[in-house]
Each structure stands twice: as C-alpha cells, then as structure tokens.
Amino acid sequence: MVIAKAWVLKKHFDGFPQTSDFDLKKIELPNLKDGELLLESMFLSVDPYMRPYSQRIMKEGDIMIGTQVASLTAYFGLLEVCKMKPGETVLVNAAAGTVGSVVGQLAKIGGCKVVGCAGSDDKVAYLKKIGFDEVFNYKTVKSLDEVLHKASPDGYDCFFDNVGGEFASVAINQMKKYGRIAVCGAISQYNDSVPQKGPYMQMPMIYKELQMEGFLVTRWNSRREEGLQALLKWVVEGKVKCHEQVTEGFENMPMAFIGMLKGETLGKAVVKV
C-alpha cells in the first residue's frame, strides 16, 4: 500500500484563487497491475491554463489538474499558427513567462525582430539579456499604443498573445496587412468575476485581412518528440536560455500557483517536490 499526497480543489475559485480554496489530502494508491510502474514526481509545473480549466473540467473535491515539467507550446504556436518567416517582426506579451520567453528566443533564431513586454523592470532586463530587440514594462508606460508604435513603426507581422483583453485590443491595430495572431492565452481575464466587454476587433481584422487563431498545444501531440528534440538542441547550443523560479516543497504548491497568476514569476514556475 502506497500513501500519496494530493492537492484537492476544495471550492471553485471566485475571482482570484485563495489558499483556502485547496485541501492537502493523503490518498491510498491502487495496487500496481502487471506491466505498470509507479514513478515519483520530482518537479511539478504550475501554469496559467490551470485557472480556467479547473472551472471547465473539474468538480469540487477533485484532485487539482496539472503536469510535470515540459514545454511545447511556444514551438508549435509560433511555427504552425503564426507561420513566422525570417525578416518579420514578432510581438509577444507576458514575454518573461514560460511560453513568452521561449517564443521570443525562437523568433530570434528564425531571423525575426522581437518586441516583448513584461510587468517589472527586472523582467524587462532579463528579456534584453536573452536577446529581445525591444522591451517595455507595460505597467509604467503612459500609452501602450504609442510604445508599440515606437518599438516598430511599420507594425507587426506576428502577434503571439498570452494576455488578451485591453492589450490585444490595442495591439491588433498595430498589425501589418495580412498579419497573423496566435491566441495562446488570456491571463488578463482568468480571474474576472464579471466577463470583460469587448474588445471589438472586426474592423482591423477586415481592413488588414488579418488571421487570428486560437490553439491548444495538444493538437500536435503526435509531433511532441519533434518539438522536444528541436528545443533541446537549441538549449544545448546556448541559443535558448531557460530560467526557472523554483518553489521548494509540495505543501507550497498553492502559493506557487497564486504567485504565478499574480505575475511574481520570472520564467518557468516550478515546484520541487
């Protein structure tokens, strides 16, 4: 008999998640069947998608969703949805996060100019260090429209959107004709108790003949190994740099999750079990 610890969703989140929304429980694992293995997790991942998906697919009392550490999303979103080409200009928001930081580096490898934004000066400094061409702190700029125009006066060919909301409504007006937008996330809306109104994107979509596509990385499950091998090669060659913010202890997993949603994480939020 093996006893394991599990974080349970005690009650669905109302607005921003609280530590009281979780329960740490001990559960008895079923006996192994022939051909099965029992593996011990060493590192666990906390990610923005866990917030909206818990509302959609979980019941109160379920074990909290999540994964062990992995990344594919930036690779397929940029190459297959944005269809990035050398010489283009790529805009990515939440650029100091898990996905955004990789998107920017892959775009540079692909011969693009990269503009990114983040929510602190430390994050801005990190993005400059890993090769972003233009970076700004969206919390301190007076006009998002002006800073986007200054960073790329000719506009943007590709927009990798992790934020949605007001940022997306402003950025879409800065797109070049025939631009492509990959909608990966909408973290600005995940904790809203009342749905945001707008933005209304039809006019720029029509006049600039833009393509906007939402995606889930599971679409490319059959090509998972391809993505992992490509990313591993670039990491080994030093072309892609990874930053992990590690929280020690399984008992601190809700704190790591909440901190990530508050924007307190630089790079990948990881919990060391």
mmCIF file with all atom_site columns, all heavy atoms in Angstrom, residues 113-139:
data_model
loop_
_atom_site.group_PDB
_atom_site.id
_atom_site.type_symbol
_atom_site.label_atom_id
_atom_site.label_alt_id
_atom_site.label_comp_id
_atom_site.label_asym_id
_atom_site.label_entity_id
_atom_site.label_seq_id
_atom_site.pdbx_PDB_ins_code
_atom_site.Cartn_x
_atom_site.Cartn_y
_atom_site.Cartn_z
_atom_site.occupancy
_atom_site.B_iso_or_equiv
_atom_site.pdbx_formal_charge
_atom_site.auth_seq_id
_atom_site.auth_comp_id
_atom_site.auth_asym_id
_atom_site.auth_atom_id
_atom_site.pdbx_PDB_model_num
ATOM 1   N N   . LYS A 1 113 ? 12.798 40.225 -35.899 1.00 0.00 ? 113 LYS A N   1
ATOM 2   C CA  . LYS A 1 113 ? 12.887 41.256 -34.861 1.00 0.00 ? 113 LYS A CA  1
ATOM 3   C C   . LYS A 1 113 ? 11.815 40.930 -33.828 1.00 0.00 ? 113 LYS A C   1
ATOM 4   O O   . LYS A 1 113 ? 10.684 40.575 -34.190 1.00 0.00 ? 113 LYS A O   1
ATOM 5   C CB  . LYS A 1 113 ? 12.650 42.639 -35.454 1.00 0.00 ? 113 LYS A CB  1
ATOM 6   C CG  . LYS A 1 113 ? 12.588 43.745 -34.404 1.00 0.00 ? 113 LYS A CG  1
ATOM 7   C CD  . LYS A 1 113 ? 12.283 45.110 -35.028 1.00 0.00 ? 113 LYS A CD  1
ATOM 8   C CE  . LYS A 1 113 ? 12.153 46.180 -33.952 1.00 0.00 ? 113 LYS A CE  1
ATOM 9   N NZ  . LYS A 1 113 ? 11.864 47.524 -34.532 1.00 0.00 ? 113 LYS A NZ  1
ATOM 10  N N   . VAL A 1 114 ? 12.157 41.046 -32.547 1.00 0.00 ? 114 VAL A N   1
ATOM 11  C CA  . VAL A 1 114 ? 11.223 40.647 -31.491 1.00 0.00 ? 114 VAL A CA  1
ATOM 12  C C   . VAL A 1 114 ? 10.983 41.805 -30.526 1.00 0.00 ? 114 VAL A C   1
ATOM 13  O O   . VAL A 1 114 ? 11.927 42.398 -29.996 1.00 0.00 ? 114 VAL A O   1
ATOM 14  C CB  . VAL A 1 114 ? 11.750 39.430 -30.706 1.00 0.00 ? 114 VAL A CB  1
ATOM 15  C CG1 . VAL A 1 114 ? 10.728 39.002 -29.652 1.00 0.00 ? 114 VAL A CG1 1
ATOM 16  C CG2 . VAL A 1 114 ? 12.047 38.271 -31.643 1.00 0.00 ? 114 VAL A CG2 1
ATOM 17  N N   . VAL A 1 115 ? 9.709  42.101 -30.311 1.00 0.00 ? 115 VAL A N   1
ATOM 18  C CA  . VAL A 1 115 ? 9.287  43.107 -29.343 1.00 0.00 ? 115 VAL A CA  1
ATOM 19  C C   . VAL A 1 115 ? 8.486  42.399 -28.255 1.00 0.00 ? 115 VAL A C   1
ATOM 20  O O   . VAL A 1 115 ? 7.567  41.630 -28.551 1.00 0.00 ? 115 VAL A O   1
ATOM 21  C CB  . VAL A 1 115 ? 8.424  44.200 -29.998 1.00 0.00 ? 115 VAL A CB  1
ATOM 22  C CG1 . VAL A 1 115 ? 7.935  45.211 -28.959 1.00 0.00 ? 115 VAL A CG1 1
ATOM 23  C CG2 . VAL A 1 115 ? 9.203  44.897 -31.102 1.00 0.00 ? 115 VAL A CG2 1
ATOM 24  N N   . GLY A 1 116 ? 8.845  42.645 -26.997 1.00 0.00 ? 116 GLY A N   1
ATOM 25  C CA  . GLY A 1 116 ? 8.160  41.986 -25.891 1.00 0.00 ? 116 GLY A CA  1
ATOM 26  C C   . GLY A 1 116 ? 7.807  42.950 -24.786 1.00 0.00 ? 116 GLY A C   1
ATOM 27  O O   . GLY A 1 116 ? 8.379  44.040 -24.684 1.00 0.00 ? 116 GLY A O   1
ATOM 28  N N   . CYS A 1 117 ? 6.860  42.547 -23.945 1.00 0.00 ? 117 CYS A N   1
ATOM 29  C CA  . CYS A 1 117 ? 6.531  43.347 -22.770 1.00 0.00 ? 117 CYS A CA  1
ATOM 30  C C   . CYS A 1 117 ? 6.424  42.457 -21.554 1.00 0.00 ? 117 CYS A C   1
ATOM 31  O O   . CYS A 1 117 ? 6.177  41.257 -21.656 1.00 0.00 ? 117 CYS A O   1
ATOM 32  C CB  . CYS A 1 117 ? 5.231  44.126 -22.982 1.00 0.00 ? 117 CYS A CB  1
ATOM 33  S SG  . CYS A 1 117 ? 3.747  43.132 -22.803 1.00 0.00 ? 117 CYS A SG  1
ATOM 34  N N   . ALA A 1 118 ? 6.656  43.055 -20.389 1.00 0.00 ? 118 ALA A N   1
ATOM 35  C CA  . ALA A 1 118 ? 6.591  42.331 -19.123 1.00 0.00 ? 118 ALA A CA  1
ATOM 36  C C   . ALA A 1 118 ? 6.139  43.320 -18.047 1.00 0.00 ? 118 ALA A C   1
ATOM 37  O O   . ALA A 1 118 ? 5.991  44.517 -18.306 1.00 0.00 ? 118 ALA A O   1
ATOM 38  C CB  . ALA A 1 118 ? 7.944  41.728 -18.773 1.00 0.00 ? 118 ALA A CB  1
ATOM 39  N N   . GLY A 1 119 ? 5.930  42.809 -16.823 1.00 0.00 ? 119 GLY A N   1
ATOM 40  C CA  . GLY A 1 119 ? 5.336  43.630 -15.782 1.00 0.00 ? 119 GLY A CA  1
ATOM 41  C C   . GLY A 1 119 ? 6.262  44.149 -14.711 1.00 0.00 ? 119 GLY A C   1
ATOM 42  O O   . GLY A 1 119 ? 5.802  44.615 -13.670 1.00 0.00 ? 119 GLY A O   1
ATOM 43  N N   . SER A 1 120 ? 7.576  44.087 -14.930 1.00 0.00 ? 120 SER A N   1
ATOM 44  C CA  . SER A 1 120 ? 8.513  44.664 -13.961 1.00 0.00 ? 120 SER A CA  1
ATOM 45  C C   . SER A 1 120 ? 9.812  45.010 -14.669 1.00 0.00 ? 120 SER A C   1
ATOM 46  O O   . SER A 1 120 ? 10.125 44.455 -15.734 1.00 0.00 ? 120 SER A O   1
ATOM 47  C CB  . SER A 1 120 ? 8.796  43.684 -12.814 1.00 0.00 ? 120 SER A CB  1
ATOM 48  O OG  . SER A 1 120 ? 9.652  42.644 -13.232 1.00 0.00 ? 120 SER A OG  1
ATOM 49  N N   . ASP A 1 121 ? 10.588 45.910 -14.071 1.00 0.00 ? 121 ASP A N   1
ATOM 50  C CA  . ASP A 1 121 ? 11.861 46.303 -14.667 1.00 0.00 ? 121 ASP A CA  1
ATOM 51  C C   . ASP A 1 121 ? 12.859 45.148 -14.658 1.00 0.00 ? 121 ASP A C   1
ATOM 52  O O   . ASP A 1 121 ? 13.688 45.028 -15.566 1.00 0.00 ? 121 ASP A O   1
ATOM 53  C CB  . ASP A 1 121 ? 12.442 47.508 -13.919 1.00 0.00 ? 121 ASP A CB  1
ATOM 54  C CG  . ASP A 1 121 ? 11.613 48.778 -14.136 1.00 0.00 ? 121 ASP A CG  1
ATOM 55  O OD1 . ASP A 1 121 ? 10.832 48.816 -15.113 1.00 0.00 ? 121 ASP A OD1 1
ATOM 56  O OD2 . ASP A 1 121 ? 11.744 49.711 -13.319 1.00 0.00 ? 121 ASP A OD2 1
ATOM 57  N N   . ASP A 1 122 ? 12.802 44.294 -13.628 1.00 0.00 ? 122 ASP A N   1
ATOM 58  C CA  . ASP A 1 122 ? 13.687 43.133 -13.578 1.00 0.00 ? 122 ASP A CA  1
ATOM 59  C C   . ASP A 1 122 ? 13.398 42.180 -14.736 1.00 0.00 ? 122 ASP A C   1
ATOM 60  O O   . ASP A 1 122 ? 14.317 41.620 -15.344 1.00 0.00 ? 122 ASP A O   1
ATOM 61  C CB  . ASP A 1 122 ? 13.524 42.382 -12.251 1.00 0.00 ? 122 ASP A CB  1
ATOM 62  C CG  . ASP A 1 122 ? 14.160 43.124 -11.086 1.00 0.00 ? 122 ASP A CG  1
ATOM 63  O OD1 . ASP A 1 122 ? 14.979 44.032 -11.341 1.00 0.00 ? 122 ASP A OD1 1
ATOM 64  O OD2 . ASP A 1 122 ? 13.841 42.802 -9.939  1.00 0.00 ? 122 ASP A OD2 1
ATOM 65  N N   . LYS A 1 123 ? 12.122 42.012 -15.045 1.00 0.00 ? 123 LYS A N   1
ATOM 66  C CA  . LYS A 1 123 ? 11.748 41.135 -16.162 1.00 0.00 ? 123 LYS A CA  1
ATOM 67  C C   . LYS A 1 123 ? 12.176 41.744 -17.492 1.00 0.00 ? 123 LYS A C   1
ATOM 68  O O   . LYS A 1 123 ? 12.629 41.028 -18.398 1.00 0.00 ? 123 LYS A O   1
ATOM 69  C CB  . LYS A 1 123 ? 10.246 40.875 -16.135 1.00 0.00 ? 123 LYS A CB  1
ATOM 70  C CG  . LYS A 1 123 ? 9.792  40.011 -14.977 1.00 0.00 ? 123 LYS A CG  1
ATOM 71  C CD  . LYS A 1 123 ? 8.281  39.788 -14.996 1.00 0.00 ? 123 LYS A CD  1
ATOM 72  C CE  . LYS A 1 123 ? 7.841  38.908 -13.846 1.00 0.00 ? 123 LYS A CE  1
ATOM 73  N NZ  . LYS A 1 123 ? 6.378  38.666 -13.838 1.00 0.00 ? 123 LYS A NZ  1
ATOM 74  N N   . VAL A 1 124 ? 12.037 43.049 -17.605 1.00 0.00 ? 124 VAL A N   1
ATOM 75  C CA  . VAL A 1 124 ? 12.489 43.742 -18.821 1.00 0.00 ? 124 VAL A CA  1
ATOM 76  C C   . VAL A 1 124 ? 13.985 43.536 -19.018 1.00 0.00 ? 124 VAL A C   1
ATOM 77  O O   . VAL A 1 124 ? 14.447 43.235 -20.131 1.00 0.00 ? 124 VAL A O   1
ATOM 78  C CB  . VAL A 1 124 ? 12.142 45.242 -18.743 1.00 0.00 ? 124 VAL A CB  1
ATOM 79  C CG1 . VAL A 1 124 ? 12.884 46.028 -19.819 1.00 0.00 ? 124 VAL A CG1 1
ATOM 80  C CG2 . VAL A 1 124 ? 10.631 45.451 -18.888 1.00 0.00 ? 124 VAL A CG2 1
ATOM 81  N N   . ALA A 1 125 ? 14.760 43.669 -17.943 1.00 0.00 ? 125 ALA A N   1
ATOM 82  C CA  . ALA A 1 125 ? 16.214 43.476 -18.022 1.00 0.00 ? 125 ALA A CA  1
ATOM 83  C C   . ALA A 1 125 ? 16.544 42.045 -18.444 1.00 0.00 ? 125 ALA A C   1
ATOM 84  O O   . ALA A 1 125 ? 17.473 41.815 -19.240 1.00 0.00 ? 125 ALA A O   1
ATOM 85  C CB  . ALA A 1 125 ? 16.853 43.793 -16.674 1.00 0.00 ? 125 ALA A CB  1
ATOM 86  N N   . TYR A 1 126 ? 15.800 41.081 -17.928 1.00 0.00 ? 126 TYR A N   1
ATOM 87  C CA  . TYR A 1 126 ? 16.023 39.675 -18.298 1.00 0.00 ? 126 TYR A CA  1
ATOM 88  C C   . TYR A 1 126 ? 15.756 39.450 -19.786 1.00 0.00 ? 126 TYR A C   1
ATOM 89  O O   . TYR A 1 126 ? 16.536 38.777 -20.478 1.00 0.00 ? 126 TYR A O   1
ATOM 90  C CB  . TYR A 1 126 ? 15.121 38.776 -17.459 1.00 0.00 ? 126 TYR A CB  1
ATOM 91  C CG  . TYR A 1 126 ? 15.107 37.336 -17.911 1.00 0.00 ? 126 TYR A CG  1
ATOM 92  C CD1 . TYR A 1 126 ? 16.226 36.512 -17.736 1.00 0.00 ? 126 TYR A CD1 1
ATOM 93  C CD2 . TYR A 1 126 ? 13.980 36.788 -18.523 1.00 0.00 ? 126 TYR A CD2 1
ATOM 94  C CE1 . TYR A 1 126 ? 16.222 35.188 -18.160 1.00 0.00 ? 126 TYR A CE1 1
ATOM 95  C CE2 . TYR A 1 126 ? 13.971 35.462 -18.946 1.00 0.00 ? 126 TYR A CE2 1
ATOM 96  C CZ  . TYR A 1 126 ? 15.086 34.676 -18.757 1.00 0.00 ? 126 TYR A CZ  1
ATOM 97  O OH  . TYR A 1 126 ? 15.079 33.357 -19.189 1.00 0.00 ? 126 TYR A OH  1
ATOM 98  N N   . LEU A 1 127 ? 14.681 40.031 -20.305 1.00 0.00 ? 127 LEU A N   1
ATOM 99  C CA  . LEU A 1 127 ? 14.349 39.844 -21.714 1.00 0.00 ? 127 LEU A CA  1
ATOM 100 C C   . LEU A 1 127 ? 15.401 40.473 -22.630 1.00 0.00 ? 127 LEU A C   1
ATOM 101 O O   . LEU A 1 127 ? 15.729 39.916 -23.687 1.00 0.00 ? 127 LEU A O   1
ATOM 102 C CB  . LEU A 1 127 ? 12.970 40.430 -22.008 1.00 0.00 ? 127 LEU A CB  1
ATOM 103 C CG  . LEU A 1 127 ? 11.801 39.705 -21.321 1.00 0.00 ? 127 LEU A CG  1
ATOM 104 C CD1 . LEU A 1 127 ? 10.491 40.437 -21.589 1.00 0.00 ? 127 LEU A CD1 1
ATOM 105 C CD2 . LEU A 1 127 ? 11.695 38.262 -21.801 1.00 0.00 ? 127 LEU A CD2 1
ATOM 106 N N   . LYS A 1 128 ? 15.943 41.604 -22.224 1.00 0.00 ? 128 LYS A N   1
ATOM 107 C CA  . LYS A 1 128 ? 17.037 42.203 -23.003 1.00 0.00 ? 128 LYS A CA  1
ATOM 108 C C   . LYS A 1 128 ? 18.254 41.288 -22.987 1.00 0.00 ? 128 LYS A C   1
ATOM 109 O O   . LYS A 1 128 ? 18.950 41.137 -24.000 1.00 0.00 ? 128 LYS A O   1
ATOM 110 C CB  . LYS A 1 128 ? 17.382 43.578 -22.437 1.00 0.00 ? 128 LYS A CB  1
ATOM 111 C CG  . LYS A 1 128 ? 16.318 44.638 -22.675 1.00 0.00 ? 128 LYS A CG  1
ATOM 112 C CD  . LYS A 1 128 ? 16.717 45.977 -22.067 1.00 0.00 ? 128 LYS A CD  1
ATOM 113 C CE  . LYS A 1 128 ? 15.666 47.047 -22.336 1.00 0.00 ? 128 LYS A CE  1
ATOM 114 N NZ  . LYS A 1 128 ? 16.017 48.336 -21.695 1.00 0.00 ? 128 LYS A NZ  1
ATOM 115 N N   . LYS A 1 129 ? 18.501 40.677 -21.846 1.00 0.00 ? 129 LYS A N   1
ATOM 116 C CA  . LYS A 1 129 ? 19.657 39.790 -21.691 1.00 0.00 ? 129 LYS A CA  1
ATOM 117 C C   . LYS A 1 129 ? 19.568 38.580 -22.608 1.00 0.00 ? 129 LYS A C   1
ATOM 118 O O   . LYS A 1 129 ? 20.584 38.110 -23.131 1.00 0.00 ? 129 LYS A O   1
ATOM 119 C CB  . LYS A 1 129 ? 19.761 39.347 -20.229 1.00 0.00 ? 129 LYS A CB  1
ATOM 120 C CG  . LYS A 1 129 ? 20.953 38.461 -19.913 1.00 0.00 ? 129 LYS A CG  1
ATOM 121 C CD  . LYS A 1 129 ? 20.996 38.095 -18.441 1.00 0.00 ? 129 LYS A CD  1
ATOM 122 C CE  . LYS A 1 129 ? 22.160 37.168 -18.120 1.00 0.00 ? 129 LYS A CE  1
ATOM 123 N NZ  . LYS A 1 129 ? 22.187 36.798 -16.670 1.00 0.00 ? 129 LYS A NZ  1
ATOM 124 N N   . ILE A 1 130 ? 18.345 38.065 -22.832 1.00 0.00 ? 130 ILE A N   1
ATOM 125 C CA  . ILE A 1 130 ? 18.207 36.864 -23.671 1.00 0.00 ? 130 ILE A CA  1
ATOM 126 C C   . ILE A 1 130 ? 17.953 37.200 -25.135 1.00 0.00 ? 130 ILE A C   1
ATOM 127 O O   . ILE A 1 130 ? 17.656 36.310 -25.934 1.00 0.00 ? 130 ILE A O   1
ATOM 128 C CB  . ILE A 1 130 ? 17.127 35.909 -23.132 1.00 0.00 ? 130 ILE A CB  1
ATOM 129 C CG1 . ILE A 1 130 ? 15.736 36.569 -23.151 1.00 0.00 ? 130 ILE A CG1 1
ATOM 130 C CG2 . ILE A 1 130 ? 17.486 35.419 -21.737 1.00 0.00 ? 130 ILE A CG2 1
ATOM 131 C CD1 . ILE A 1 130 ? 14.609 35.600 -22.764 1.00 0.00 ? 130 ILE A CD1 1
ATOM 132 N N   . GLY A 1 131 ? 18.043 38.495 -25.499 1.00 0.00 ? 131 GLY A N   1
ATOM 133 C CA  . GLY A 1 131 ? 18.088 38.822 -26.919 1.00 0.00 ? 131 GLY A CA  1
ATOM 134 C C   . GLY A 1 131 ? 16.901 39.521 -27.532 1.00 0.00 ? 131 GLY A C   1
ATOM 135 O O   . GLY A 1 131 ? 16.887 39.752 -28.741 1.00 0.00 ? 131 GLY A O   1
ATOM 136 N N   . PHE A 1 132 ? 15.882 39.882 -26.755 1.00 0.00 ? 132 PHE A N   1
ATOM 137 C CA  . PHE A 1 132 ? 14.768 40.645 -27.315 1.00 0.00 ? 132 PHE A CA  1
ATOM 138 C C   . PHE A 1 132 ? 15.292 41.989 -27.833 1.00 0.00 ? 132 PHE A C   1
ATOM 139 O O   . PHE A 1 132 ? 16.146 42.616 -27.217 1.00 0.00 ? 132 PHE A O   1
ATOM 140 C CB  . PHE A 1 132 ? 13.703 40.889 -26.253 1.00 0.00 ? 132 PHE A CB  1
ATOM 141 C CG  . PHE A 1 132 ? 12.761 39.729 -26.034 1.00 0.00 ? 132 PHE A CG  1
ATOM 142 C CD1 . PHE A 1 132 ? 13.223 38.506 -25.557 1.00 0.00 ? 132 PHE A CD1 1
ATOM 143 C CD2 . PHE A 1 132 ? 11.402 39.869 -26.291 1.00 0.00 ? 132 PHE A CD2 1
ATOM 144 C CE1 . PHE A 1 132 ? 12.362 37.455 -25.344 1.00 0.00 ? 132 PHE A CE1 1
ATOM 145 C CE2 . PHE A 1 132 ? 10.523 38.812 -26.075 1.00 0.00 ? 132 PHE A CE2 1
ATOM 146 C CZ  . PHE A 1 132 ? 11.003 37.595 -25.603 1.00 0.00 ? 132 PHE A CZ  1
ATOM 147 N N   . ASP A 1 133 ? 14.758 42.435 -28.967 1.00 0.00 ? 133 ASP A N   1
ATOM 148 C CA  . ASP A 1 133 ? 15.229 43.691 -29.572 1.00 0.00 ? 133 ASP A CA  1
ATOM 149 C C   . ASP A 1 133 ? 14.661 44.917 -28.868 1.00 0.00 ? 133 ASP A C   1
ATOM 150 O O   . ASP A 1 133 ? 15.377 45.891 -28.627 1.00 0.00 ? 133 ASP A O   1
ATOM 151 C CB  . ASP A 1 133 ? 14.836 43.730 -31.053 1.00 0.00 ? 133 ASP A CB  1
ATOM 152 C CG  . ASP A 1 133 ? 15.527 42.634 -31.843 1.00 0.00 ? 133 ASP A CG  1
ATOM 153 O OD1 . ASP A 1 133 ? 16.739 42.725 -32.044 1.00 0.00 ? 133 ASP A OD1 1
ATOM 154 O OD2 . ASP A 1 133 ? 14.834 41.674 -32.239 1.00 0.00 ? 133 ASP A OD2 1
ATOM 155 N N   . GLU A 1 134 ? 13.378 44.880 -28.567 1.00 0.00 ? 134 GLU A N   1
ATOM 156 C CA  . GLU A 1 134 ? 12.709 45.986 -27.889 1.00 0.00 ? 134 GLU A CA  1
ATOM 157 C C   . GLU A 1 134 ? 11.845 45.404 -26.776 1.00 0.00 ? 134 GLU A C   1
ATOM 158 O O   . GLU A 1 134 ? 11.100 44.449 -27.000 1.00 0.00 ? 134 GLU A O   1
ATOM 159 C CB  . GLU A 1 134 ? 11.819 46.785 -28.862 1.00 0.00 ? 134 GLU A CB  1
ATOM 160 C CG  . GLU A 1 134 ? 12.556 47.404 -30.041 1.00 0.00 ? 134 GLU A CG  1
ATOM 161 C CD  . GLU A 1 134 ? 13.361 48.624 -29.643 1.00 0.00 ? 134 GLU A CD  1
ATOM 162 O OE1 . GLU A 1 134 ? 13.110 49.161 -28.534 1.00 0.00 ? 134 GLU A OE1 1
ATOM 163 O OE2 . GLU A 1 134 ? 14.213 49.051 -30.430 1.00 0.00 ? 134 GLU A OE2 1
ATOM 164 N N   . VAL A 1 135 ? 11.946 45.998 -25.579 1.00 0.00 ? 135 VAL A N   1
ATOM 165 C CA  . VAL A 1 135 ? 11.180 45.505 -24.436 1.00 0.00 ? 135 VAL A CA  1
ATOM 166 C C   . VAL A 1 135 ? 10.671 46.699 -23.628 1.00 0.00 ? 135 VAL A C   1
ATOM 167 O O   . VAL A 1 135 ? 11.354 47.720 -23.525 1.00 0.00 ? 135 VAL A O   1
ATOM 168 C CB  . VAL A 1 135 ? 12.041 44.602 -23.513 1.00 0.00 ? 135 VAL A CB  1
ATOM 169 C CG1 . VAL A 1 135 ? 11.142 43.836 -22.552 1.00 0.00 ? 135 VAL A CG1 1
ATOM 170 C CG2 . VAL A 1 135 ? 12.908 43.646 -24.311 1.00 0.00 ? 135 VAL A CG2 1
ATOM 171 N N   . PHE A 1 136 ? 9.485  46.572 -23.043 1.00 0.00 ? 136 PHE A N   1
ATOM 172 C CA  . PHE A 1 136 ? 8.974  47.638 -22.187 1.00 0.00 ? 136 PHE A CA  1
ATOM 173 C C   . PHE A 1 136 ? 8.151  47.047 -21.047 1.00 0.00 ? 136 PHE A C   1
ATOM 174 O O   . PHE A 1 136 ? 7.649  45.922 -21.129 1.00 0.00 ? 136 PHE A O   1
ATOM 175 C CB  . PHE A 1 136 ? 8.141  48.638 -22.991 1.00 0.00 ? 136 PHE A CB  1
ATOM 176 C CG  . PHE A 1 136 ? 6.910  48.056 -23.645 1.00 0.00 ? 136 PHE A CG  1
ATOM 177 C CD1 . PHE A 1 136 ? 5.676  48.048 -22.997 1.00 0.00 ? 136 PHE A CD1 1
ATOM 178 C CD2 . PHE A 1 136 ? 6.986  47.518 -24.929 1.00 0.00 ? 136 PHE A CD2 1
ATOM 179 C CE1 . PHE A 1 136 ? 4.554  47.521 -23.595 1.00 0.00 ? 136 PHE A CE1 1
ATOM 180 C CE2 . PHE A 1 136 ? 5.861  46.984 -25.545 1.00 0.00 ? 136 PHE A CE2 1
ATOM 181 C CZ  . PHE A 1 136 ? 4.643  46.990 -24.880 1.00 0.00 ? 136 PHE A CZ  1
ATOM 182 N N   . ASN A 1 137 ? 8.054  47.830 -19.976 1.00 0.00 ? 137 ASN A N   1
ATOM 183 C CA  . ASN A 1 137 ? 7.249  47.479 -18.813 1.00 0.00 ? 137 ASN A CA  1
ATOM 184 C C   . ASN A 1 137 ? 5.854  48.055 -19.031 1.00 0.00 ? 137 ASN A C   1
ATOM 185 O O   . ASN A 1 137 ? 5.661  49.272 -18.969 1.00 0.00 ? 137 ASN A O   1
ATOM 186 C CB  . ASN A 1 137 ? 7.888  48.056 -17.545 1.00 0.00 ? 137 ASN A CB  1
ATOM 187 C CG  . ASN A 1 137 ? 7.135  47.694 -16.282 1.00 0.00 ? 137 ASN A CG  1
ATOM 188 O OD1 . ASN A 1 137 ? 5.979  47.279 -16.313 1.00 0.00 ? 137 ASN A OD1 1
ATOM 189 N ND2 . ASN A 1 137 ? 7.795  47.858 -15.137 1.00 0.00 ? 137 ASN A ND2 1
ATOM 190 N N   . TYR A 1 138 ? 4.881  47.204 -19.295 1.00 0.00 ? 138 TYR A N   1
ATOM 191 C CA  . TYR A 1 138 ? 3.543  47.687 -19.634 1.00 0.00 ? 138 TYR A CA  1
ATOM 192 C C   . TYR A 1 138 ? 2.851  48.395 -18.459 1.00 0.00 ? 138 TYR A C   1
ATOM 193 O O   . TYR A 1 138 ? 1.914  49.174 -18.660 1.00 0.00 ? 138 TYR A O   1
ATOM 194 C CB  . TYR A 1 138 ? 2.670  46.542 -20.145 1.00 0.00 ? 138 TYR A CB  1
ATOM 195 C CG  . TYR A 1 138 ? 2.238  45.552 -19.072 1.00 0.00 ? 138 TYR A CG  1
ATOM 196 C CD1 . TYR A 1 138 ? 1.053  45.727 -18.366 1.00 0.00 ? 138 TYR A CD1 1
ATOM 197 C CD2 . TYR A 1 138 ? 3.012  44.439 -18.775 1.00 0.00 ? 138 TYR A CD2 1
ATOM 198 C CE1 . TYR A 1 138 ? 0.664  44.834 -17.381 1.00 0.00 ? 138 TYR A CE1 1
ATOM 199 C CE2 . TYR A 1 138 ? 2.637  43.535 -17.799 1.00 0.00 ? 138 TYR A CE2 1
ATOM 200 C CZ  . TYR A 1 138 ? 1.452  43.737 -17.106 1.00 0.00 ? 138 TYR A CZ  1
ATOM 201 O OH  . TYR A 1 138 ? 1.071  42.847 -16.136 1.00 0.00 ? 138 TYR A OH  1
ATOM 202 N N   . LYS A 1 139 ? 3.342  48.171 -17.245 1.00 0.00 ? 139 LYS A N   1
ATOM 203 C CA  . LYS A 1 139 ? 2.731  48.797 -16.072 1.00 0.00 ? 139 LYS A CA  1
ATOM 204 C C   . LYS A 1 139 ? 3.152  50.253 -15.894 1.00 0.00 ? 139 LYS A C   1
ATOM 205 O O   . LYS A 1 139 ? 2.488  51.003 -15.176 1.00 0.00 ? 139 LYS A O   1
ATOM 206 C CB  . LYS A 1 139 ? 3.073  48.008 -14.809 1.00 0.00 ? 139 LYS A CB  1
ATOM 207 C CG  . LYS A 1 139 ? 2.443  46.624 -14.748 1.00 0.00 ? 139 LYS A CG  1
ATOM 208 C CD  . LYS A 1 139 ? 2.778  45.932 -13.439 1.00 0.00 ? 139 LYS A CD  1
ATOM 209 C CE  . LYS A 1 139 ? 2.119  44.564 -13.359 1.00 0.00 ? 139 LYS A CE  1
ATOM 210 N NZ  . LYS A 1 139 ? 2.457  43.851 -12.095 1.00 0.00 ? 139 LYS A NZ  1
#
